[in-house]
Amino acid sequence: MSLKKMTEIEKLIELLGSESGDRWLEFMDYVNQNLSHILKRGKPKAEDIENSIIGKAGFKTWKEFIESPTAQGGLAWNLSTFDSWKRAYSIVCNYPFLRNLELSASFINTIYRETKPNFPISESDLTRISSR
């Protein structure tokens, strides 16, 4: 394995190891910067996977990369949690005030579900809604 690829995988694993609070945003920011094709709707193109750290680590899919043990170069994680983080990350991208509030992905997704289509547009709106 190349040093750069190991460093990227190790960085992802390190970010996953700090799942508390809003640290999940750091992981998602890293994914957005280095694997943005994973965050797009639909299945990533095979060539995007091949040319990314996923393919270079020997994996054919994001799911395979996420779920494989770290000893095999994967993240030893699960796809459903990533999908939850991906949904919440999309919300944070649309409502940047959320970024500095140290909210969990689960909390963001729950508030979004409960307030759809009137998601709060400011921190004060969020405080008012969540204190009911």
Side-chain angles (χ1 to χ4, degrees), residues 48-79:
D48 288 337
I49 294 289
E50 285 173 25
N51 295 323
S52 72
I53 62 170
I54 301 163
K56 291 174 183 166
F59 299 102
K60 301 277 186 228
T61 67
W62 173 243
K63 181 182 188 309
E64 183 184 17
F65 177 61
I66 281 182
E67 294 179 345
S68 292
T70 54
Q72 295 174 5
L75 300 181
W77 197 34
N78 75 51
L79 192 59

Side-chain angles (χ1 to χ4, degrees), residues 4 8 11-12 15 25-39 52-53 62 82 89 93 99:
K4 182 168 175 28
E8 289 175 335
K11 178 69 174 173
L12 285 168
L15 290 169
L25 275 171
E26 292 179 42
F27 176 86
M28 294 305 295
D29 285 339
Y30 191 85
V31 169
N32 189 34
Q33 291 167 357
N34 298 285
L35 297 163
S36 60
H37 58 279
I38 296 300
L39 299 179
S52 72
I53 62 170
W62 173 243
F82 171 75
Y89 189 72
C93 290
R99 183 170 283 279

